[in-house]
Amino acid sequence: MKKALITGITGQDGSYLADLLIEKGYEVHGIIRRASSFNTSRIDHLYQDPHISGVRLFLHHGDLCDSLNLTRLIDRIGPEEIYHLGAQSHVRVSYDIPENTGDITALGTIRILEALRESRVQARFYQASSSEMFGKVQAVPQTETTPFWPRSPYAVAKVYAYWATVNYRESYGMHASNGILFNHESPRRGETFVTRKITRAVARIKLGIQKDLYLGNLDAKRDWGFAKEFVEGMWRMLQQDTPDDYVLATNETHTVREFCEVAFAHVGLEWQQFVKFDARYERPAEVDLLIGDYAKAKRVLGWEPKVKFRELVQIMVDADLDAAKHEHR
């Protein structure tokens, strides 16, 4: 039975990845931060299953600021694969806490790479890189060779983590790969991210729980895919004999306005009646256009997206409608 270690296992991607790896017969270990209450809602279906928890799923307290703890965990667990998904991952919040974002998202990657190097474990390493690194895009669409121009503290930290991964691969012969993932969403997306903020509001407005939705820049264009599909791409990267870097995307771009149109229309509402502008949600430096070319991932990994934009929006709205109905009752 292969062992995998996931940082950020309680997040959207971490939870879907845990599902996938357990389905594939892995023993899965996840690092969670110590808190006064559990934040395991996305993996509770696994964590509360006695046939999985403590048998094929193990959670460990740890922190990306604690390099000694990371080294001990890697030594004790002895994973064959490490998926580094943990980060301060909210772009707008990174402007408010830039130092913390750099410490967790950038230096946290160095700490886990160094912990792996110092350990006796020969694990394959996946780094969760981001399309936000392209920022002020230098080519359309963006590929693995497009230069980076980060436009937020989060993106700057992700560029640092990307090149750290490349450096450790080249310096120490590590099987270390970067997945440059464009926006990927799902019903498990955090409620402060714009897509989930929209679909949750649509459901609550439809049921009369909420009146309005406040958003920032409606003209920002993003390449949105389905997170559940993207985690399989992560896994496929670590199954290759040679480590490398890959873009995962849909090669389509849509505005935030289009997302609102499709989401509200799905429940029979006109989005203009409910969406209000709030300057607080605008970024100091905006990323106007992201669209990724996944040709390399298709050619080498055999990976391509199946869920398209409209279907993705509808999946999220339907899930939030079910949740809102429960809340309304």
Side-chain angles (χ1 to χ4, degrees):
M1 187 183 294
K2 270 189 176 181
K3 292 182 184 178
L5 174 63
I6 304 172
T7 69
I9 193 172
T10 58
Q12 170 190 251
D13 293 5
S15 64
Y16 279 123
L17 181 60
D19 288 341
L20 176 72
L21 295 178
I22 285 173
E23 286 174 11
K24 291 184 177 296
Y26 280 66
E27 177 180 303
V28 176
H29 295 256
I31 296 178
I32 60 173
R33 286 174 293 177
R34 179 72 179 92
S36 58
S37 60
F38 278 118
N39 179 29
T40 58
S41 59
R42 294 184 181 93
I43 57 170
D44 276 349
H45 61 288
L46 299 173
Y47 184 67
Q48 295 173 358
D49 186 335
H51 300 292
I52 296 175
S53 183
V55 180
R56 292 176 56 201
L57 175 67
F58 301 86
L59 301 182
H60 309 268
H61 287 123
D63 197 298
L64 292 174
C65 293
D66 189 344
S67 55
L68 180 59
N69 174 256
L70 292 172
T71 303
R72 286 173 174 168
L73 280 174
I74 290 172
D75 260 334
R76 187 167 78 246
I77 296 166
E80 282 89 0
E81 297 170 7
I82 297 176
Y83 297 87
H84 179 41
L85 313 182
Q88 192 301 99
S89 58
H90 198 288
V91 177
R92 181 61 190 84
V93 170
S94 75
Y95 285 101
D96 300 324
I97 51 171
E99 183 178 344
N100 175 264
T101 299
D103 192 22
I104 300 300
T105 306
L107 294 181
T109 304
I110 281 287
R111 292 185 188 107
I112 196 163
L113 282 167
E114 191 64 9
L116 178 56
R117 187 180 75 85
E118 290 287 343
S119 74
R120 297 161 294 177
V121 176
Q122 298 295 312
R124 296 184 175 191
F125 179 82
Y126 171 84
Q127 163 61 20
S129 292
S130 169
S131 60
E132 287 287 332
M133 300 188 302
F134 295 119
K136 189 176 180 180
V137 298
Q138 302 301 292
V140 178
Q142 294 87 56
T143 71
E144 293 81 3
T145 60
T146 302
F148 301 137
W149 193 318
R151 300 268 282 173
S152 67
Y154 167 77
V156 170
K158 281 293 186 181
V159 170
Y160 181 103
Y162 171 94
W163 285 116
T165 301
V166 172
N167 181 253
Y168 273 67
R169 179 170 73 212
E170 295 177 349
S171 300
Y172 305 114
M174 287 186 177
H175 193 296
S177 297
N178 281 289
I180 307 173
L181 272 57
F182 280 64
N183 293 62
H184 46 289
E185 318 297 319
S186 76
R188 299 184 189 179
R189 189 57 142 156
E191 294 172 0
T192 60
F193 290 84
V194 66
T195 52
R196 183 74 195 289
K197 184 178 178 180
I198 293 169
T199 60
R200 186 170 182 266
V202 166
R204 290 165 59 82
I205 289 170
K206 179 65 176 178
L207 296 179
I209 304 171
Q210 181 175 327
K211 291 183 178 180
D212 299 307
L213 168 62
Y214 290 88
L215 297 173
N217 181 13
L218 297 180
D219 296 316
K221 295 180 180 179
R222 294 293 183 269
D223 183 326
W224 278 302
F226 186 28
K228 188 175 182 180
E229 295 181 340
F230 278 50
V231 299
E232 183 173 345
M234 301 176 187
W235 175 78
R236 291 191 182 200
M237 290 179 208
L238 295 199
Q239 309 317 303
Q240 304 305 303
D241 293 334
T242 304
D244 207 344
D245 309 315
Y246 300 89
V247 163
L248 299 187
T250 70
N251 202 27
E252 292 183 12
T253 190
H254 300 271
T255 63
V256 175
R257 181 180 283 103
E258 286 179 79
F259 200 106
C260 289
E261 290 172 357
V262 174
F264 278 93
H266 187 54
V267 297
L269 298 176
E270 292 288 337
W271 71 275
Q272 297 96 329
Q273 297 179 25
F274 306 99
V275 176
K276 314 293 184 186
F277 173 75
D278 191 331
R280 291 178 300 172
Y281 297 118
E282 289 203 320
R283 303 176 184 178
E286 184 58 81
V287 174
D288 297 316
L289 168 64
L290 291 175
I291 179 171
D293 183 349
Y294 62 89
K296 180 179 176 181
K298 182 177 181 180
R299 183 180 70 253
V300 180
L301 306 178
W303 180 91
E304 60 182 324
K306 297 179 177 63
V307 174
K308 300 300 183 182
F309 173 73
R310 184 172 295 273
E311 182 183 356
L312 171 65
V313 178
Q314 292 172 351
I315 288 170
M316 294 177 66
V317 171
D318 287 343
D320 276 322
L321 268 174
D322 287 342
K325 287 173 183 175
H326 180 75
E327 177 187 353
H328 194 50
R329 287 197 298 268

